[in-house]
Amino acid sequence: MNRLPVLIANRGEITIRIARTCRALGFPTVAIYSDADRFAEHARYCDQAVWIGSSAPKESYLNAEKVVAAAKQTGARYVHPGYGFLSERPHFVEACEKAGLIFVGPSAESMRQMGDKIQARATVDALGVSRVPGSKGAVANGAEAAKVAQKIGYPVLLKAAAGGGGKGMRRVDSGAEVESAFEGASREALGAFGDGSMYVEKLILEPHHVEIQVFGDGKGGAIHLGERECSIQRRHQKVWEETPAPILEKFPKTREAMFLSALKITRGVKYSGAGTLEFIVDEKGNYYFLEMNTRLQVEHPVTEWVTGTDLVAMQLLLAAGEFELPSIPERRGSAIEVRLYAEDPHTFLPAPGKIGLIQFPSGAFVRSDTSFSAAGEVSVHYDPMIAKISIWGRTREEAMERLRVALDETRVEPPRSTDGLQVGSLRTNLTFLRRLVRHERVRSGDTTTDLIEKSPELTVPLEVQVTREMAIALALQHFVQVSEIGSKIQNLEGIRSSWSLRALEEGLRS
Ligand code: ADP
């Protein structure tokens, strides 16, 4: 079939992921790039690449006019927005349509109806799906927020209507804090999203974040592709996503009810393409609608692993008018994704920089989505994610074991000076992820959204851990030397192979 070009309005790992499926289906690809991405892999990967502006996102990837102009100039027929940047902006959908381009995603109307958090709450109310209790719409000021909070009971969350990535969100425990929290959160939201409107939600304690992947045909037909649990978060942002959701293994009836709610919403708004309905599930198995992401999600690979589908292929075929809604796919086995970031593993603050060495795991059940294959640079201008590593196993235990090995095989290091020392600003959360996969609560599936906060051992700096482990090791050594029974201990390997000691050695080596 003679297929027309797809412009991918994004960068890095996302562009490569989408371009790979375009290639498989025979769609020529067009990349866009900014100054900072002049030598980026994603621009080389596509059939054509267009420079669209300077490094600041506003001047390039967030500039709808420039993106549309690049599509027109290259003869592209489709625009795939990826995720982030312009992917949830209705005005961008309209700009594409006005220029005669086909936007690969939902209509501008669906985006307004579901992408806007306050509007989405009203939509699900009308459809009879339960959402987190809270204000009906936006609240104008601290006093109004306090009134709602009084009614639903503290603690509450003040949330930005235009929020994303955990920005513009504040926990409030009492009436005395409302005013200043409102001011602060609203100011933060205004700065980050150009919109300071706020709403109030009851804070669900010890919650699980569970989301349902859906796909609609735009005519009222829709399927779901199972759930993902993304409860392991730092700064309200996901670092670990998996399916099946451990919490729903305990509450299978909740899972079925959530699927029905997700389908009700997707069909109800005649949604077109890939979308995700996010819910909060409490310890008793109650679930509440949180928001909808009207786009492909970062964590879509775990769904692809267990359903054997290619969500990007479904999106492209729907846009090209060649799509027929399949039946709800069966889900097989278990899949986990972790996000490898250029960030400090103790504070989670971005730590981008030049990469000297990078190596990803390989094997039949591991997938590394990245735009770095050789030395490159994690740019200060964009999201500091280096890669997503995902794994499939027949069971959760098997997936966890495979992930443990995969993370041990992964290497990302800054460049070295001529005398072999690591130089530069790059740091990664690799040691943190290695701790996570070995953590007892993670292994047992007891994963609430406050897990990281409540597990300081995950983030304690290596040096502190080193001191503790060294003290134990020295004490043991002393014991072996001086005691009678100690002399009978032949083999110290058992102690040496404990993970923290290996981490210690690794830390000391690097
Ligand atoms: P964003 O769009 O900024 O990511 P979300 O509404 O998706 O904001 O919330 C992000 C995360 O914050 C959720 O995954 C959850 O961990 C937490 N959260 C949000 N709302 C609530 C709530 N009402 N109660 C408890 N936790 C919440």
Side-chain angles (χ1 to χ4, degrees), residues 117 121 132-133 155-157 159-169 193 199-211 230-233 235-238 278-280 288-293 295 448-450:
K117 291 182 182 217
R121 288 161 64 79
V132 185
V156 298
L157 262 188
K159 293 172 81 170
K167 282 204 186 102
M169 211 189 280
F193 316 109
Y199 65 104
V200 185
E201 246 177 33
K202 181 150 188 73
L203 181 81
I204 308 292
L205 295 171
E206 306 208 327
H208 295 256
H209 175 115
V210 180
E211 56 189 34
C230 321
S231 299
I232 306 183
Q233 307 179 346
R235 295 191 280 117
H236 296 299
Q237 285 181 300
K238 306 160 182 171
E278 296 193 333
F279 295 87
I280 288 242
Y288 309 92
F289 171 81
L290 198 58
E291 65 165 341
M292 180 171 194
N293 287 321
R295 53 171 167 81
T448 47
T449 58
D450 53 4

Side-chain angles (χ1 to χ4, degrees), residues 187-202:
R187 205 176 321 116
E188 186 177 306
L190 189 65
F193 316 109
D195 176 1
S197 345
M198 303 294 300
Y199 65 104
V200 185
E201 246 177 33
K202 181 150 188 73

